[in-house]
Amino acid sequence: MENKENKYTKKVTVREIVSFFKFERLTGDDKSLDRWTVVPDVNRPGFELCGFYKQSDPRRIIIIGNKESEFIKTMTPEEQRARFPMLTDGYTPCIIITKNNVLPPILKEIADHLNFPIMRTDMETFRLVTELISFLDERLAPEDTISGTLMSVYGKGVLIAGESGMGKSETALELIRNGQVLVADDRVDVQHIHNSIIGHSPAIIKGLLEIRGIGIIDVEKMFGASALISRSPVDMVIDLVKFNAADEYNRIGDETMHYTKILDVLIPTIVLPVSAGRNMRILIESAVTNFRLQQDGFSASKEIKERFNTYAGKDI
């Protein structure tokens, strides 16, 4: 089976899908399970069964539910022999029949001749579609690797970014000691899933922190299993920069929000200057708390402006 477009770099085999969902295999041998899909979507072939194939993407997995099964019963044998080959061509990964519906004999005959895989499940069609798309979306999600430390701070995924030597790992250690949770240090693998960015640690450095002067520490062994989670959404970025008196920093909080683009998703970003005497753990925890309040509709900058308007001209 050939790929129609070379822009797709990831694929999921039918074998992986069958193994995950435990489908019953009705046709096709073991080799047929090596077929694959590159599209995180499915096709319920109503139009195709009627003979209309324009705008139909043959790379999608075909789902035959109750409606399709009942419609097939109304088709003549000639219509079935004319249309079923289009559903089992070289680009279609497989067909899945839901609700334990019967495999049409003519479709089985054609699939057996082509060594084409047809599966069956007792799942409801809508549930299978939802779970299968989620499965494919995650497996086929665009990926990238970025530098930084990903933490879960008060339930928010916080990517601590900044140049080398800014103290990202040391700050993460302070956060962990105060009850926050590590996801990944130094290198974060990210995926674009369901319009969100999900980050996790590469297996080789999972649960490890590199602290200058100490070396590598194992977070789980030092602080317990609750100090580490395998993955987290990236809800915000905190960019640590060297303090420069000549630079302008956020003072009131009503300045234009900065964003960092990760896999085409804009992530709200806060720039925190680092200097001697500034407790970065407290600042990050405070920034996250303020971010959560803003998401709930509270704005301290708006509050202070309202106070200025209230007390303007008064002797206070």
Side-chain angles (χ1 to χ4, degrees), residues 30-76:
D30 187 72
K31 185 178 179 181
S32 72
L33 301 183
D34 292 333
R35 299 168 75 96
W36 41 260
T37 182
V38 294
V39 180
D41 196 5
V42 299
N43 179 26
R44 297 193 64 180
F47 286 112
E48 290 84 350
L49 291 173
C50 293
F52 184 81
Y53 304 103
K54 255 188 174 182
Q55 303 300 320
S56 180
D57 189 342
R59 297 165 300 184
R60 293 181 294 170
I61 292 172
I62 289 177
I63 306 294
I64 294 180
N66 290 340
K67 289 190 296 184
E68 292 82 6
S69 294
E70 289 302 315
F71 182 79
I72 289 172
K73 293 176 183 178
T74 69
M75 298 170 62
T76 66

Side-chain angles (χ1 to χ4, degrees), residues 110-232:
I110 293 173
D112 284 337
H113 176 72
L114 297 173
N115 193 28
F116 180 88
I118 298 180
M119 313 299 161
R120 183 161 59 192
T121 177
D122 61 357
M123 294 175 67
E124 295 276 0
T125 304
F126 79 92
R127 189 171 301 282
L128 173 65
V129 169
T130 301
E131 294 188 12
L132 184 56
I133 289 177
S134 295
F135 173 82
L136 294 174
D137 201 19
E138 181 169 343
R139 295 297 181 93
L140 297 171
E143 292 182 318
D144 198 1
T145 298
I146 56 180
S147 177
T149 299
L150 181 58
M151 301 283 303
S152 177
V153 180
Y154 298 134
K156 292 292 182 183
V158 180
L159 177 66
I160 305 173
E163 296 178 358
S164 179
M166 296 304 297
K168 297 185 292 294
S169 298
E170 290 81 358
T171 300
L173 181 60
E174 281 292 319
L175 288 165
I176 294 167
R177 292 186 63 220
N178 202 46
Q180 311 304 343
V181 184
L182 175 70
V183 182
D185 181 49
D186 189 48
R187 170 184 156 186
V188 184
D189 290 345
V190 291
Q191 291 179 293
H192 183 178
I193 302 175
H194 303 316
N195 206 34
S196 297
I197 299 300
I198 308 297
H200 63 276
S201 173
I204 192 171
I205 58 172
K206 184 177 180 180
L208 303 179
L209 273 177
E210 179 190 359
I211 306 297
R212 287 179 175 83
I214 298 177
I216 304 296
I217 65 172
D218 189 310
V219 170
E220 185 174 0
K221 284 185 170 56
M222 288 187 68
F223 300 100
S226 61
L228 182 69
I229 56 175
S230 60
R231 53 176 28 201
S232 169

Side-chain angles (χ1 to χ4, degrees), residues 78-111:
E78 292 74 20
E79 290 173 329
Q80 294 184 35
R81 292 189 182 279
R83 294 166 191 172
F84 286 161
M86 297 297 293
L87 303 183
T88 56
D89 71 3
Y91 290 107
T92 305
C94 66
I95 292 175
I96 303 172
I97 299 174
T98 64
K99 287 292 290 179
N100 278 333
N101 279 297
V102 176
L103 171 60
I106 294 177
L107 179 56
K108 182 180 188 310
E109 176 189 329
I110 293 173

